[in-house]
Amino acid sequence: MKFVVKLVSAIIAMVSLAILVPPHKAQAASHYTIGTETTFVPYAIQGKDGTYNGKHPGIDMEILRAIAKNQHFTFDLKIMNFAAIVQALQSGQVDGNMAAMMVTPERQQTLDFSHTYLNAGLSLATKPGSSIKSYKDLKGKIVAVKTGSTSETYATSIQNKYGFTIHHLDSTNTEINDVTTGNADAAIDATLSLQYTIKNGMKLRLIGTQQNVHPVAFAVKKGENAALLQKFNKGLANIKKDGTYAKIMAYYTGAKAHTNANIATDRSYLGIIKANAPQFKAGITMTIKLTIVSIIIATIVGVFIGLFGVVPSRLLKGFHGVYTFIFRSIPVMVLSFFIYMGIPSLIGHKIPLFTAGVATLVLENSAYIASFVAGGIKSVDRGQMEASRSLGVTYLASMRKVIMPQAVRTMAPSFINQFIIALKGTSILSAIGLAEMTQQGTIIISQNMEGFKVWLIITAMYLVLIGCLTLLSDRVQKHYSLAN
Amino acid sequence: MLDEKIVIAKHIHKSFGDNEVLKDVSLSVHSGEVVVMIGPSGSGKSTFLRTLNGLETIDKGQVMVNGQLLYDKKVNLNQVRQNIGMVFQHFNLFPNMTILNNVIMAAISTKHFTPEKARQEAKKYLDMVDLSEKMNSYPAQLSGGQKQRVAIARALEMEPKIMLFDEPTSALDPEMVGDVLEVMQQLAQNGMTMIIVTHEMGFAKRVADRVVFFSDGMIQESGTPEEVFDRPASPRTQGFLERVLNV
Ligand SMILES: Nc1ncnc2c1ncn2[C@@H]1O[C@H](COP(=O)(O)OP(=O)(O)OP(=O)(O)O)[C@@H](O)[C@H]1O
Ligand SMILES: [Mg+2]
């Protein structure tokens, strides 16, 4: 068992390293990688391009920016699901987390926190006409919360007392959608973000008073990056002194808090597409790029490992068997988490997001390719190899000239099928924050809350892409059947 | 020339698991000799033939072809096989190549000929089997008899010293058998050394220098066609001949 674990890790590490395209830069001490989450208003608000480079990217982002400027350090942001952030910090993928993170005793076990930059509590939200007037009315109802957040912990702690069921969702916006569509009766989330959402036109009502107030702070891995923590604290004190901090807070929470420009725009399908064209485009580009790069590498790797399955060598055959079993068995999402969060702690340095995504798809798809390549070769009549060898042709030349051309013909449909699966598989990589089509959809919805329409647009985009692939495959197959 | 032994197989033993298929088989063939092997199904004829070009491993014994030991660690089997042509029951043409490419592939791959020379030679052999007009067709477009004649041309292209045939006409419609046998007879007349497994008794009588009767993994009887067909010594041979000739 230990051997298998080592083998799997080694294989993954090898593949990941092999495609680690940009060699890892040596990082200067004043440059950091900071983890943050996808849009969580008003703390973090992604722009149309999916980044936080805009003028008003949210409280967290603006505070971090001001402190960095004050303390003369630079940073790259890693954007991911809230639940993944703590893991990323543990594995060293990021140096610090700026993600509206509440300070709790559990988190203090593994993280060191900066001084508090604001206090935040939780509120209960329902649809305006709801019969729920207080926590007591929650008996038998469904409450939506965000996975990995304090709202989840809090909801769980009072669940028995009030007798409700919990829906665990992966972002504030899906959680709010859960309430507006009626799947859930109420949501518990950060008061500030609920207020901000309501101010921006969401039809919700807050119930009762703020609960579970906690300080919110910047975090680093326990016992590490003390210097960064110190800079953050110093910078925070400075921007509080010079008024920058107050300005930022007023912008997002003051009486005249700004409203998201996106809200007022055209809500027709065409309007949504127009308003978010750069995001849709970036998503398509990323999806296509991921698919093409992955499928090319997976094909090369898969064909080789497929060949391992038929050559007369017990060692290579064994490798083929283990490889195909393992990577066909691990769910893609688990594999992506393992590579992005797990491997860095094994090899001692970070893996770029794109590389992690490609590695995931390559491992999964190459395993399937290896299986049908081996199967395709085995399906070629034994007499073909014998005839070729009886003429004095070597094993390898016989493979290349006689067996493979025939095997490829039977494999062609499987290859096309695998390309389609790889394309759809890119969607799962949104879990580690890769800004492909699905992730872009999530971001757009977090701004305009038009879940149904945006998912329909995204679906149409996948259908078009896969339609193109299918057309291509028909052509390829016609070509081959003609040659037959 | 006739004294030169081109194939010497000595005390061959071969089992598939518990099934002992070859039980101490020995056979020598002179250069230019035509040997026909007959015998009941499952008696080990194919297996024995395949040991003569290393397609089968053996448990015990020795095979020497053209002065080279086949089952020797130091031997280059690919080299040896270039001197041994083999024709299979099911032709085994390469469906992904044209007829011409079927014939020249090995010669080019093994550098036996330059591509130019390989094509020249291929035309000669395809002419000989009367199929030069099918040069650019694919195997799927040919009849069984035509396929088998291409397979013979393909083997001849390597200029083998000896040809092995494993039931070359068994998979053919009766009206196609004649053309293939004719080509084989012509080869025999040109002095090619041949070992042929077949059920065509008439052909065996006409062409064979020697007939070998195989049964139960052993050579039961061996002699001229007259000896074996007209005066079989072993009761097994008699029984077998009665069965095949009376059907
Ligand atoms: N690859 C193999 N694995 C296991 N058993 C085999 C294999 N090849 C042949 N045999 C067995 O060896 C025995 C001899 O087979 P072989 O093909 O040599 O007979 P044959 O005399 O050529 O018969 P036929 O006239 O039917 O072609 C048979 O019992 C067969 O089942
Ligand atoms: Mg046979």
Side-chain angles (χ1 to χ4, degrees), chain A residues 59-78:
Chain A
I59 297 174
D60 278 0
M61 294 302 108
E62 290 207 44
I63 288 180
L64 180 62
R65 231 188 245 175
I67 290 175
K69 194 170 157 208
N70 184 274
Q71 293 295 308
H72 308 292
F73 66 82
T74 52
F75 61 89
D76 284 330
L77 282 176
K78 284 220 163 192

Side-chain angles (χ1 to χ4, degrees), chain A residues 381-395 397-398 400-403 405-406 409 483-484, chain B residues 50 53 55 78 81-82 84-86 88 91-97 105-106 109-110 138 140 154-155 158:
Chain A
D381 179 24
R382 212 168 67 116
Q384 291 290 310
M385 181 56 100
E386 290 186 345
S388 181
R389 298 306 304 277
S390 78
L391 291 162
V393 181
T394 61
Y395 176 81
S398 303
R400 207 173 61 238
K401 293 190 172 146
V402 177
I403 308 300
Q406 296 181 54
R409 223 160 274 188
N484 242 336
Chain B
R50 291 155 56 83
N53 73 347
L55 280 182
N78 296 321
R81 282 172 177 152
Q82 292 182 30
I84 311 170
M86 184 154 193
F88 301 85
F91 335 125
N92 298 358
L93 292 186
F94 308 130
N96 55 316
M97 301 178 198
M105 186 279 281
S109 176
T110 59
Y138 281 88
R154 178 175 72 177
M158 294 301 290

Side-chain angles (χ1 to χ4, degrees), chain A residues 160-442:
Chain A
N160 284 340
K161 183 171 160 199
Y162 296 110
F164 54 83
T165 319
I166 297 179
H167 263 191
H168 304 265
L169 296 150
D170 71 342
S171 69
T172 295
N173 123 70
T174 43
E175 155 212 304
I176 288 175
N177 266 325
D178 212 36
V179 177
T180 54
T181 55
N183 287 339
D185 302 293
I188 296 178
D189 208 330
T191 310
L192 266 185
S193 39
L194 288 172
Q195 282 171 341
Y196 185 85
T197 314
I198 292 167
K199 211 176 311 194
N200 277 287
M202 181 53 58
K203 300 263 180 298
L204 284 178
R205 194 185 48 160
L206 296 191
I207 307 291
T209 53
Q210 189 164 235
Q211 303 291 318
N212 196 48
V213 179
H214 275 286
V216 171
F218 174 79
V220 298
K221 187 176 176 182
K222 198 169 183 71
E224 278 172 39
N225 274 315
L228 174 59
L229 210 55
Q230 213 169 11
K231 283 180 198 170
F232 188 95
N233 287 336
K234 239 197 246 160
L236 181 61
N238 288 345
I239 65 167
K240 274 187 173 165
K241 239 182 274 162
D242 70 12
T244 315
Y245 175 85
K247 232 159 84 190
I248 295 171
M249 293 309 287
Y251 183 84
Y252 292 98
T253 64
K256 281 194 225 136
H258 96 123
T259 53
N260 194 333
N262 238 334
I263 298 301
T265 54
D266 183 0
R267 289 312 177 92
S268 69
Y269 286 99
L270 209 61
I272 291 174
I273 292 173
K274 262 190 203 150
N276 300 287
Q279 274 156 295
F280 283 124
K281 224 155 109 192
I284 294 178
T285 312
M286 178 55 85
T287 293
I288 293 177
K289 227 164 89 183
L290 270 173
T291 309
I292 291 177
V293 174
S294 307
I295 219 58
I296 288 175
I297 302 174
T299 301
I300 296 168
V301 175
V303 166
F304 267 99
I305 295 177
L307 285 171
F308 288 179
V310 294
V311 293
S313 154
R314 228 179 255 190
L315 187 78
L316 293 180
K317 268 201 185 107
F319 181 83
H320 168 91
V322 172
Y323 187 92
T324 52
F325 170 72
I326 288 173
F327 294 113
R328 286 194 303 171
S329 309
I330 304 177
V332 189
M333 195 183 287
V334 175
L335 188 60
S336 71
F337 282 140
F338 184 63
I339 290 173
Y340 191 53
M341 325 276 189
I343 297 288
S345 52
L346 201 82
I347 60 174
H349 66 78
K350 301 163 194 170
I351 297 178
L353 189 53
F354 185 78
T355 307
V358 169
T360 306
L361 292 177
V362 165
L363 287 169
E364 198 228 356
N365 289 288
S366 66
Y368 281 100
I369 291 174
S371 302
F372 66 67
V373 163
I377 291 171
K378 280 181 200 152
S379 77
V380 176
D381 179 24
R382 212 168 67 116
Q384 291 290 310
M385 181 56 100
E386 290 186 345
S388 181
R389 298 306 304 277
S390 78
L391 291 162
V393 181
T394 61
Y395 176 81
L396 284 178
S398 303
M399 265 292 173
R400 207 173 61 238
K401 293 190 172 146
V402 177
I403 308 300
M404 283 311 270
Q406 296 181 54
V408 162
R409 223 160 274 188
T410 63
M411 289 174 214
S414 310
F415 265 114
I416 298 296
N417 210 16
Q418 201 59 43
F419 294 171
I420 290 174
I421 291 171
L423 195 153
K424 288 197 292 184
T426 57
S427 159
I428 292 173
L429 298 176
S430 59
I432 54 171
L434 251 175
E436 44 60 69
M437 264 156 61
T438 305
Q439 179 72 355
Q440 293 291 3
T442 311

